[in-house]
Amino acid sequence: MYATIRRYEGVDNARTDELTRKIGESLLPRLSETDGFRGYFLIEAHDGVMSSVNFWETLEQADESTRIASNWVRDEKLETALPNPPKVTGGEVIVKKMVEKELVSA
């Protein structure tokens, strides 16, 4: 399994709700329909920082997710809400453990 982490800095705090909604409505469907998709998490770190962590079967699929996310920002005209390109880190997941519990959406 491979993970991709995107850290967005300089996020327009006034548009956080809009971004969250649009991610759920249009980015997540694109990603989840892509071969190899295993999961997606969005983290709001405040102070204009948001990060996403997503999981893929192969490195190629993880790399493709970055292209999909970049195109999505452009397609949704979110360049002013996300004015800086993300810092992208990715690689093979070498240790994992996850406990499945029902999460409550914000």
Side-chain angles (χ1 to χ4, degrees):
M1 179 168 39
Y2 292 81
T4 300
I5 303 166
R6 291 181 203 80
R7 178 183 169 95
Y8 295 88
E9 296 177 351
V11 175
D12 182 346
N13 288 324
R15 297 182 67 187
T16 300
D17 289 342
E18 173 192 3
L19 284 167
T20 303
R21 179 180 50 77
K22 286 189 172 191
I23 287 168
E25 292 174 355
S26 60
L27 178 60
L28 274 180
R30 286 187 198 184
L31 292 174
S32 64
E33 292 170 0
T34 303
D35 286 342
F37 176 80
R38 291 294 167 254
Y40 180 95
F41 297 88
L42 180 66
I43 302 156
E44 182 180 4
H46 300 288
D47 298 325
V49 176
M50 294 181 90
S51 297
S52 67
V53 182
N54 41 113
F55 300 93
W56 302 89
E57 286 180 7
T58 69
L59 178 60
E60 294 78 15
Q61 293 162 338
D63 290 343
E64 175 68 6
S65 75
T66 296
R67 187 191 64 76
I68 291 169
S70 176
N71 289 342
W72 175 81
V73 169
R74 187 188 65 244
D75 293 348
E76 294 290 329
K77 300 177 179 27
L78 293 170
E79 293 91 346
T80 58
L82 300 168
N84 302 311
K87 295 178 180 175
V88 180
T89 304
E92 186 173 7
V93 176
I94 56 174
V95 176
K96 70 174 183 170
K97 178 172 177 124
M98 185 175 285
V99 177
E100 293 288 331
K101 292 185 179 182
E102 187 173 327
L103 297 177
V104 177
S105 296

